[in-house]
Amino acid sequence: MLWEVDQKVKEAADALHPSSNVDHMQNILQDTLIHCWELLLKRHSATMQIDAKFQDLLFRALDYYVVGRLHEMLWWLVCERCQVVDQLVKTRLSHLRHAHLSALQLGVPAHYYTPLPAAVVELASLASVESAIGRLQCVHSTIELIQAQAKEARVTLHQYKDQEGEPELELTKEELMALLTTVVVQAQCSHLVANIYYMTHYVFSVTEDDPLWKSLGLLRNTLENIMKLDVARLPQPAKSIRKELSLQDLMQVSAEVESRFEAKGPSRSIGDITALDLQLHQLTQQIQLSTQAHSETHLTERNSPSRRSDRTMLSPTQDNSKSHSFREFLSSIPSSLRESLRRRQSQQRSAIQSSLNG
């Protein structure tokens, strides 16, 4: 069966040309998907053929496989088209990273703030996924990790303080976008606009009401907000957050955290203990246990990375024409596949389902 599918994919590859427009390439890919879907569906029992969930699952699997086999060709074309705007976004993300942008500055409550390493790693792995639907799943997983880690921090803080009632777990849309903004800045993906273009045009098995598609919309909105951010006008955090520490710095932070918790004693109702404090406290305890277990191990201090020139901390010149170019390019990317393509896909699948049922 896969040999027959691969033959259809090869025919699709031969029909795709760098000069082809997006509509033409979408039609070729969709026809290939529909043909392979019908081919594989007919190899199963009559019960499976008419099972709607199985039909959708099979179509999703083919979306991964077929577009994945053509990924190198499609991705190269997308990057060529988006390279100028992607460079604008890359420069902006680099500036925000060196400015140490924090979710606290974007309105996330200080007592709920927590780092999001798993979400950063997930989004940073975007380039290693070789299909449009796979990358869309990666974006969705990133947002799910943000929500899970934020909820975990809130539950931990609630339990530590022995507060009554249930903690507020649901993030507001503003909080979620603020946290996603910091994750995007930390992940420093090189081709975010190209990825949005790629996922919008070359995902065929996701409808507009699917959570995956809503995640893509959230990423688009977040990127638009990032390009409009003026760091100079954001409130400055009361205490700067250091994201790179030498061994000596880490030992000092650990001592400070432990002294704070010892000073609190048995009281847990004091309001200045935050989710970040609890995370640092747990890390400190892990360091102490590790030090005890490896007391004979000689640790050598590693020099901190050299600081960049203070010039990199300055806001880049606000170029209205560049910002306009970004907004204009992003607005030209549809929020979904063309309606005519969706309609034709629905008609093709309905016709095949009718023939199977008959």
Side-chain angles (χ1 to χ4, degrees):
M1 288 188 287
L2 286 179
W3 182 86
E4 294 182 58
V5 171
D6 283 341
Q7 286 298 109
K8 295 302 298 183
V9 172
K10 185 178 182 302
E11 291 174 14
D14 293 339
L16 295 175
H17 301 285
S19 58
S20 302
N21 59 37
V22 172
D23 291 355
H24 178 66
M25 289 193 284
Q26 284 180 329
N27 288 331
I28 290 174
L29 290 171
Q30 178 175 270
D31 288 345
T32 302
L33 280 167
I34 293 292
H35 180 89
C36 294
W37 180 72
E38 181 181 13
L39 176 71
L40 294 179
L41 201 56
K42 288 181 176 179
R43 298 295 183 96
H44 291 82
S45 66
T47 303
M48 295 295 289
Q49 289 181 23
I50 61 175
D51 186 300
K53 289 185 178 179
F54 177 71
Q55 291 174 356
D56 291 339
L57 181 62
L58 183 60
F59 198 70
R60 177 69 58 86
L62 281 166
D63 200 349
Y64 273 94
Y65 186 77
V66 172
V67 180
R69 294 297 300 272
L70 300 170
H71 166 76
E72 188 174 345
M73 175 191 299
L74 294 172
W75 180 240
W76 179 82
L77 294 173
V78 169
C79 285
E80 282 286 302
R81 174 159 188 155
C82 303
Q83 61 179 342
V84 174
V85 183
D86 260 330
Q87 187 58 49
L88 293 177
V89 174
K90 184 178 179 180
T91 301
R92 163 55 54 144
L93 293 179
S94 178
H95 160 66
L96 292 176
R97 184 181 186 185
H98 292 123
H100 301 294
L101 179 71
S102 166
L104 300 176
Q105 296 172 275
L106 300 175
V108 174
H111 54 289
Y112 284 151
Y113 171 74
T114 184
L116 303 163
V120 173
V121 170
E122 181 70 14
L123 188 61
S125 69
L126 201 62
S128 65
V129 182
E130 296 189 345
S131 71
I133 179 64
R135 294 192 176 189
L136 184 55
Q137 179 65 61
C138 186
V139 171
H140 181 64
S141 297
T142 298
I143 294 171
E144 285 191 320
L145 284 168
I146 291 173
Q147 293 173 321
Q149 289 176 287
K151 288 179 180 179
E152 181 183 10
R154 295 183 178 196
V155 169
T156 302
L157 183 63
H158 188 82
Q159 292 173 342
Y160 177 82
K161 292 188 175 184
D162 290 334
Q163 294 176 336
E164 296 181 357
E166 295 296 324
E168 179 58 50
L169 296 181
E170 293 302 320
L171 297 172
T172 65
K173 183 179 179 181
E174 292 73 20
E175 289 174 343
L176 181 55
M177 288 188 65
L179 291 173
L180 181 57
T181 295
T182 61
V183 168
V184 168
V185 170
Q186 291 177 55
Q188 293 288 301
C189 298
S190 299
H191 302 286
L192 268 182
V193 178
N195 273 295
I196 290 173
Y197 188 100
Y198 187 40
M199 290 181 282
T200 301
H201 288 93
Y202 298 114
V203 171
F204 298 89
S205 60
V206 176
T207 58
E208 280 69 31
D209 58 351
D210 192 292
L212 293 181
W213 207 267
K214 292 178 181 178
S215 296
L216 179 58
L218 187 64
L219 178 62
R220 285 180 64 138
N221 292 337
T222 299
L223 192 56
E224 288 188 73
N225 288 344
I226 285 174
M227 295 303 290
K228 293 186 290 186
L229 267 181
D230 186 350
V231 178
R233 295 187 178 184
L234 292 176
Q236 294 301 311
K239 185 177 180 181
S240 60
I241 297 175
R242 299 174 64 186
K243 298 176 181 176
E244 295 180 356
L245 299 176
S246 67
L247 181 58
Q248 184 177 357
D249 293 333
L250 185 58
M251 291 171 66
Q252 181 180 350
V253 169
S254 299
E256 291 174 357
V257 170
E258 282 304 288
S259 65
R260 286 191 62 202
F261 275 83
E262 288 173 2
K264 301 297 180 188
S267 174
R268 297 185 173 194
S269 61
I270 301 175
D272 60 349
I273 291 292
T274 67
L276 181 58
D277 291 329
L278 289 176
Q279 190 173 60
L280 288 172
H281 181 54
Q282 293 169 357
L283 177 61
T284 299
Q285 291 178 324
Q286 291 173 1
I287 292 172
Q288 290 175 343
L289 290 173
S290 177
T291 302
Q292 292 169 4
H294 302 280
S295 58
E296 297 182 358
T297 302
H298 299 286
L299 300 178
T300 57
E301 180 181 349
R302 295 179 63 184
N303 293 326
S304 300
S306 58
R307 298 286 182 183
R308 289 177 178 263
S309 168
D310 289 342
R311 294 179 184 176
T312 60
M313 300 296 291
L314 300 176
S315 176
T317 303
Q318 295 294 328
D319 190 328
N320 291 330
S321 64
K322 290 182 179 180
S323 297
H324 178 72
S325 297
F326 166 80
R327 289 194 300 270
E328 189 178 57
F329 187 89
L330 198 63
S331 65
S332 70
I333 302 175
S335 59
S336 65
L337 283 174
R338 289 180 297 111
E339 180 60 31
S340 59
L341 191 69
R342 290 284 187 206
R343 186 167 55 252
R344 194 161 67 87
Q345 180 188 102
S346 178
Q347 291 171 347
Q348 288 175 308
R349 287 188 58 172
S350 296
I352 293 171
Q353 289 167 354
S354 297
S355 66
L356 292 173
N357 293 336

